[in-house]
Amino acid sequence: MTPPQRINPPVAQAVSRILPGHLIPERNGVTVWWSHIKREGEWILPRIFRVFTCMGNAELDLTTARIGAGESEIEVLCIMGNIDIIVPADIKVLCDGDGMGGSFETRRVGEINTPEDAPVIRVTGTVYLGSVTVTTRGVVGPGWMDRLVSGWRQN
């Protein structure tokens, strides 16, 4: 009996994340008033997802979310609150937001190699006295402790 073949996790994750278009809802959203909401795990991102926060915090983790091929949009309105969006490296992100006394920023962590035919997430909206942060997480190399220990072992 031969051992099972191991599939490279990033490729397997990208293939299983894409759903057929008829399974993707058209619209959905969340409203946060003086509280906190977090979406993570295997949830479905609709074509248009609206996020409103007023003196609250919303966290959207798309690393294992299921999305449709093509383009999806996240519309944000943030008033004296925070919205954090985490996107995996195999999804393209386009940000077009405005900050009025607040910040609307994108960050890239690690090595990011997005495929040409990757799904696209467009983040739009306005921030008033708050912050919207879109973080794309890629492959991160070894930390300083790992490099120190591996260098010590080689000597």
Side-chain angles (χ1 to χ4, degrees), residues 3 9-10 12 20-21 25 33 45-47 58 73-74 78 82 104 108 112 121-122 130 132 144:
W33 292 88
L45 180 70
R47 289 294 177 191
E73 184 173 357
I74 298 176
C78 180
N82 298 321
F104 200 110
R108 298 188 184 279
I112 299 168
I121 295 177
R122 181 180 302 274
V132 172
W144 67 270

Side-chain angles (χ1 to χ4, degrees), residues 80-95:
M80 297 191 305
N82 298 321
I83 299 174
D84 295 316
I85 303 170
I86 300 170
V87 181
D90 59 349
I91 296 178
K92 292 181 186 177
V93 177
L94 304 172
C95 287

